[in-house]
């Protein structure tokens, strides 16, 4: 397991896959893995996909999980969203998050990843929609989520929206940080 994680942390999908297969081959004759252990090992390979931004491989591994009846969890979805986010693939981010059962999609981390991904891909309206969905799900967005929206509007030179979201950040009772102010400065530059 540790060798898969080491490769995953580096985003080395090929090495993580190889370590996964070696671990599975080495466990022949051993007691079968629990559902949780099986999910964890698959998620480690998905972590490699996420860290490298390899959405296609991530899709392959999710299909493999389904074929083997491996149960996906919040971390599985998080890794899928991270892989798409790293590549700026907003369509996959949206697709994966919108297809989730309601109890999984109300996870603050998943929403934050989506907001950040949309912001980095210069889709500020989409980032703002995810922030609003997060709040409508009863989850409090943090300064980082607001900063992603502010910065995304700033990158496109949309001063009015950047200022509006800065004000929303303050209205939510949050304290702007250096990134918040830098976003505004960038918008005005």
């Amino acid at each position: 397991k540790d060798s898969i994680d080491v490769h995953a942390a580096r985003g080395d999908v090929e090495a993580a896959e190889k370590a996964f297969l070696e671990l599975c081959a080495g466990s022949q004759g051993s007691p079968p893995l629990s559902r949780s252990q099986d999910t964890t090992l698959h998620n480690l390979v998905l972590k490699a996909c996420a860290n490298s931004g390899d959405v296609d491989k991530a899709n392959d591994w999710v299909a493999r999980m389904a074929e083997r009846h491996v149960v996906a969890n919040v971390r599985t979805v998080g890794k899928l969203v991270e892989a798409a986010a790293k590549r700026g693939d907003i369509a996959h981010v949206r697709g994966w998050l919108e297809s989730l059962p309601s109890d999984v999609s109300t996870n603050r981390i998943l929403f934050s990843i989506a907001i950040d991904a949309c912001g980095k891909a210069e889709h500020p309206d989409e980032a703002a929609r995810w922030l609003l969905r997060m709040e409508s799900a009863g989850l409090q967005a943090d300064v980082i989520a607001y900063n992603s929206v502010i910065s995304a509007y700033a990158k496109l030179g949309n001063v009015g929206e950047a200022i509006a979201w800065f004000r929303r950040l303050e209205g939510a009772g949050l304290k702007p940080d250096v990134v918040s102010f830098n976003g505004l400065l960038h918008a005005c530059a």
Side-chain angles (χ1 to χ4, degrees), residues 51-70:
N51 287 339
S52 68
D54 194 337
V55 175
D56 297 330
K57 276 287 190 184
N59 280 327
D60 291 346
W61 275 89
V62 169
R64 182 180 291 185
M65 288 175 76
E67 288 169 11
R68 296 187 61 210
H69 305 288
V70 177

Side-chain angles (χ1 to χ4, degrees), residues 25-32:
S27 67
Q28 300 295 344
S30 298

Side-chain angles (χ1 to χ4, degrees), residues 4-187:
I4 301 171
D5 195 32
V6 167
H7 299 303
R10 290 194 316 248
D12 188 341
V13 178
E14 188 175 314
E17 289 176 324
K18 182 179 177 190
F20 176 91
L21 295 172
E22 287 172 357
L23 181 66
C24 291
S27 67
Q28 300 295 344
S30 298
L33 295 172
S34 71
R35 290 184 125 199
S36 173
Q37 291 169 324
D38 208 9
T39 299
T40 299
L41 292 177
H42 281 80
N43 284 349
L44 286 173
V45 179
L46 285 172
K47 176 181 175 181
C49 297
N51 287 339
S52 68
D54 194 337
V55 175
D56 297 330
K57 276 287 190 184
N59 280 327
D60 291 346
W61 275 89
V62 169
R64 182 180 291 185
M65 288 175 76
E67 288 169 11
R68 296 187 61 210
H69 305 288
V70 177
V71 179
N73 60 20
V74 172
R75 287 192 171 133
T76 307
V77 176
K79 294 306 169 194
L80 292 170
V81 171
E82 282 181 47
K86 189 142 195 160
R87 203 166 81 178
D89 185 344
I90 302 310
H92 272 101
V93 169
R94 186 183 316 115
W96 281 322
L97 289 177
E98 289 178 350
S99 68
L100 293 174
S102 61
D103 63 324
V104 176
S105 65
T106 57
N107 179 297
R108 183 184 321 272
I109 294 168
L110 293 178
F111 277 113
S112 296
I113 292 168
I115 294 163
D116 185 57
C118 294
K120 286 180 179 171
E122 297 184 359
H123 292 279
D125 292 336
E126 185 83 6
R129 276 193 289 280
W130 281 109
L131 195 146
L132 292 172
R133 283 180 75 174
M134 180 181 189
E135 291 179 339
S136 70
L139 299 169
Q140 172 67 45
D142 61 10
V143 173
I144 296 168
Y146 278 95
N147 286 346
S148 293
V149 175
I150 293 166
S151 295
Y153 280 117
K155 284 181 197 172
L156 298 180
N158 191 332
V159 178
E161 285 296 324
I163 291 170
W165 279 94
F166 183 88
R167 289 185 178 139
R168 283 184 79 121
L169 179 154
E170 293 178 312
L174 298 171
K175 184 178 178 186
D177 62 11
V178 172
V179 177
S180 310
F181 289 107
N182 282 342
L184 284 183
L185 289 173
H186 184 77

